[in-house]
Amino acid sequence: MDQASRTPVQLGAALRRQRKAHGLTQADLGGLINKRQATISSLESGGGATLDTLLAVLAALDLELVVRPRVKGAAIDLGDIF
């Protein structure tokens, strides 16, 4: 399922859902990418992270980043965002 994330908090929540769907703790995910649990926690709460860290998390969760134009003028279902 595609999820639109337009803010760091939305992206963090989407990553948290995916991590949990994979049955991983923050520490587990951090171990997979050689980062501390605190780094994963910060990312999931909308805090700053390097692009390298974000891409490593996406890869570890078998996700990819897609850049596309925003949908304008159409109603967005909040369930698609959250």
Side-chain angles (χ1 to χ4, degrees):
M1 165 174 44
D2 289 342
Q3 294 178 313
S5 295
R6 294 184 173 155
T7 68
V9 171
Q10 290 173 350
L11 179 58
L15 293 173
R16 181 182 302 109
R17 282 191 300 276
Q18 290 297 315
R19 173 183 55 77
K20 289 182 176 185
H22 281 78
L24 298 171
T25 66
Q26 291 178 342
D28 293 335
L29 180 55
L32 290 173
I33 64 168
N34 296 317
K35 298 290 181 186
R36 298 176 320 135
Q37 174 273 330
T39 300
I40 304 303
S41 176
S42 177
L43 179 60
E44 289 183 357
S45 64
T50 66
L51 185 55
D52 286 343
T53 297
L54 174 59
L55 293 174
V57 166
L58 292 172
L61 296 175
D62 200 27
L63 301 170
E64 63 185 6
L65 177 66
V66 176
V67 178
R68 67 174 188 213
R70 282 188 179 205
V71 176
K72 299 202 185 225
I76 297 175
D77 182 358
L78 287 179
D80 291 339
I81 296 174
F82 298 101

